Structures are given as C-alpha cells and as structure tokens.
Amino acid sequence: MFNVLFLARRKNRRAVVLWFLLSCTVPVSAMGQSQGIWTLEDSIRRVVEIAPEIRGAQAAVGARQGALQQAGVWPNPQIELRADDSIGKDAGTGGTDFTQFAISQPLPLSGRLGHQQAVAGAALDAARAEQSYQQIRLETQVAQRYHSLQLALGRLRLAQQRLQLADDLQNTGRRRAQAGELSELERLRMDLIREAAQQALNSAEGAYNEALSRFRVYLGLSGETTPQLTSLKPFGLVPALEQLQAGLANHPALLAAKHRVEAARSGVDLARAERLPDLSLSVFREQDLLNGRRQDVTGIGLGITIPLWDRNSGRIGEARAQVIEGQSELQVLERDLDSRLRQSYLNLNQLVKQGEHYRTRVFQPAQKVFELTRKAYASGEVEILSVIDANNTYFDAHERYLKLLQEAWLEAADLRLAAGRALVATEQDTDNE
C-alpha cells in the first residue's frame, strides 16, 4: 500500500494531503490482523472476568457468608454413656452393665449468638464493599494500560506519517537538485530529515510493542491478538465537584470501613455477652440396685461455669480498642478521599483546558504552517531550513497534544477511583442496589 502511495505522490502531490487525512483514522496494517474495536469498557469487562483479584474478593465474600451462616448455630448436644460393674458387685452376680445414659445441651441464653451474627453480618457487608472497590482499582489499572496503548498507537501512526512525508520531501528535493535548483547541502539536510523520521518510527514501534505486550498480558490475550483501539479524543464534560462529593458517602472503601467499625462495635457486645457462660441442661437415666432389685432412675441437672478467674475483661478491652482503631481509620480515609477527589478534579479540569488551549493555539496553527511551508517549498518560495523548522514544530506539537489527551484520560480514571465510581456495572452492583 505504501509503495502505491509513494508512486502516486510522485505524480501528484495532492495525494499526500489525501493520504495524510486518511491515515489519521485508518489502522496501521503492520500491527497485524484486526480483532474488532476494543473500548475501555470492553477491556474492563474482560479483566473483571479473568482477574485473580476479583476471584479473591469473591472468595472473601463467600467466606464471610459461611461465617454468618455459622454464627447463629446452636452448640451441639453431648451424649454420655457409662458402663460399670457396680450392680453386679451389689447383686453378687458379677459382670458389667450400662448403668447410665445422659444427654446435655448448652443453652446460649446470654445473647451471644445474636452478637456473633451481627459481627459476621457486618463483616460480610465489608467484604462486599471491598469487592466493589477492588473492581474500581482494577478499572484504574486497565485504564492506565489502555490509554498508554492509545498514546503509543497514536505516536506510531504519527511517526509513520512523518516518514511518509519525509520520503515525499526527499524525492521532491532530489528532483530539484537534478534540475539545479537545490544545493548539495540542502539535499543532505533533507536526507537528514528522512533519517530522523526513520529513527522516530523505530522508537515508536518499540514503545508500541512494549505497551501492547503489557496490555495483552493484563487482559489475558494471546500473542496473535492485536486489538484495534479507539483513538485518543478530547475528554468531555467533567462532573461537578459538588456532585462527586455528595456521592462520597457511598464510596466502597468508606462503606467497607464503616462496616468494619460496626463489626467492632458488635464485637464489644459479644465480648460482654461472653462473660456469662452458657447454661448446660442435662437429662439422664441410670440403673441402680435398690431394695435388692435393679431399678431405673431418671433425673435432670443444670451446669454452669463459674466466671471466677476469667471474666473476659481483656477481650472486652481489646474489642473497645478495635472500635477506636476502626473509627480513626475511617476518619483518615474520609479525609484522604476528599483530598484526592478535590486534587483529581482540579487536575482534570486543568488538563482539559490546557488541551483545548494547546489544540487551538499551538497544534492547529503548527499544522497550518507545516502545510503552507511544504507547498511553498515545492514551488521554490522558501528555503529548506523553513521546511525543517515547520516539520519539527508540527510533529512535536502533535505528539505533545496526544500526550495531553492521554494525561486527561488518566486523570479521569484517578478521579473515578477517588470518587468510588465504577465505569462498568457488574451483576454484584445490580444486586446491591
């Protein structure tokens, strides 16, 4: 395809302008077989399906569900059988007989089971919130790799454009040199422009392959899969800061911390309830030799542990300290999240404004100057130094503009993380609602 374009430019320089416009949107054929458009949302869904972090968070939720189920279960009864030779000795017959059967059931009347359920329920809610927060953290990491690959792809396309245009400029210079319109020094300078463009392409290809490798590994894609990404575009409207701050109360990290505090408070009640031991009710039936004959005796008994040495005071103190610790962590998290939210909001707005200003004041004028300078050089109106300066200015401005776009999208991912907002809804999010 490039050879055809090269021949076409030799016949008509207008083809250069047409190719320049089309190449901004046409995928690079050297990247391999296209696998369809991969959006950021598609990439996030892929990672959520395969990420071990999500499986670990789901396992943590399952563990807390099992703990909640177990928390309300009564203790098992105890059965006791006794065999001895007491009756045989009394009767003079000898032998061993079963002389007693007893069953005892602990009675958790202190309210311990209810407090255990409260602790386990709060821990389950915390695990679910942590799972939601884990997804948002993964979304941020996916966004970093996705936007880095977008930037690498944009730079690669730009480097290919630079080389193609440098080839055209070199051929134009050679024709002018053969016609005696160009000195040897100017022709050598054009050769340097072409070689610089080749070096830029080599560097861009290396950076792209590295970013693509990181993206493939993180998404679990095969080495033959080359996703076709959307191009970097200017970021849209930034949500109002007040709206983002209003949603901080539902931040998954804050919810998890609040549930941990609730679990700690229930832990204090549990520790207090555990000071009172469970009452044990026993029912027994035994055989004995009374008035010279074997008779059955039935009875009932109550048992309780006397809290003489262990009154669980240490466990109560530990639980109270855990409440204070959890509350302190919650306050620190609230402070840090609000600070991060404000900072990300300011940074994103600044990057959006800077990108728009750079596009209208630097990138577009540089593009216009570059086009006019090339046309003027082709007609012999300007010297090669003007072309070199316009060439470097345009491509440097274009690359800087792509970098500003990427920085805005990366900051948007950080803003979502600080605000606790997921970009992609999951089945768990729907269930929680």
Side-chain angles (χ1 to χ4, degrees), residues 162-163 165-167 169-171 173-174 182 184-201 384-385 387-388 391-392:
R162 187 171 190 168
L163 180 60
L165 295 175
D167 285 339
L169 183 64
Q170 185 183 54
N171 292 324
R174 287 175 177 175
L182 195 68
E184 181 67 15
L185 177 61
E186 290 179 320
R187 188 188 65 78
L188 290 175
R189 283 174 173 169
M190 283 188 292
D191 292 341
L192 289 176
I193 292 179
R194 198 272 174 195
E195 291 306 316
Q198 181 65 60
Q199 292 298 318
L201 177 59
I384 186 62
L385 292 178
V387 179
I388 295 175
N391 179 82
N392 294 336

Side-chain angles (χ1 to χ4, degrees), residues 290-429:
L290 300 175
N291 296 325
R293 60 189 181 91
R294 183 177 297 187
Q295 297 187 34
D296 292 333
V297 178
T298 302
I300 186 171
L302 293 176
I304 188 171
T305 302
I306 300 175
L308 185 59
W309 316 117
D310 183 7
R311 300 181 60 85
N312 213 30
S313 58
R315 177 70 184 91
I316 294 174
E318 178 188 5
R320 288 174 175 169
Q322 288 174 345
V323 173
I324 298 175
E325 180 183 7
Q327 290 174 334
S328 301
E329 291 177 353
L330 176 60
Q331 292 173 354
V332 170
L333 186 59
E334 288 175 337
R335 179 196 65 194
D336 292 347
L337 285 178
D338 184 68
S339 175
R340 286 167 49 191
L341 179 65
R342 292 175 181 271
Q343 189 64 43
S344 292
Y345 177 81
L346 293 175
N347 290 343
L348 179 56
N349 275 282
Q350 177 63 29
L351 286 170
V352 170
K353 293 178 181 178
Q354 183 180 359
E356 177 61 22
H357 183 272
Y358 194 89
R359 181 181 66 86
T360 57
R361 299 298 182 89
V362 179
F363 170 57
Q364 289 180 341
Q367 184 179 25
K368 186 65 174 178
V369 169
F370 180 56
E371 294 173 354
L372 294 176
T373 303
R374 284 177 55 80
K375 293 178 181 179
Y377 178 76
S379 59
E381 298 176 9
V382 297
E383 299 296 328
I384 186 62
L385 292 178
S386 298
V387 179
I388 295 175
D389 180 66
N391 179 82
N392 294 336
T393 300
Y394 166 69
F395 284 105
D396 290 346
H398 197 162
E399 185 169 343
R400 174 56 182 159
Y401 180 59
L402 291 176
K403 181 61 177 176
L404 286 174
L405 294 180
Q406 185 224 21
E407 289 176 354
W409 283 102
L410 291 177
E411 194 63 49
D414 289 340
L415 181 61
R416 289 195 299 271
L417 179 63
R421 293 191 172 190
L423 187 63
V424 175
T426 62
E427 182 178 349
Q428 179 208 350
D429 297 329

Side-chain angles (χ1 to χ4, degrees), residues 173-235:
R174 287 175 177 175
R175 289 196 301 270
R176 291 185 59 187
Q178 292 175 357
E181 301 175 359
L182 195 68
S183 67
E184 181 67 15
L185 177 61
E186 290 179 320
R187 188 188 65 78
L188 290 175
R189 283 174 173 169
M190 283 188 292
D191 292 341
L192 289 176
I193 292 179
R194 198 272 174 195
E195 291 306 316
Q198 181 65 60
Q199 292 298 318
L201 177 59
N202 294 340
S203 176
E205 286 177 344
Y208 171 77
N209 289 330
E210 182 179 351
L212 179 59
S213 176
R214 290 197 301 266
F215 187 78
R216 283 171 173 166
V217 170
Y218 203 71
L219 270 69
L221 303 176
S222 65
E224 293 76 24
T225 302
T226 303
Q228 181 182 342
L229 273 58
T230 57
S231 301
L232 280 169
K233 303 293 183 183
F235 189 80

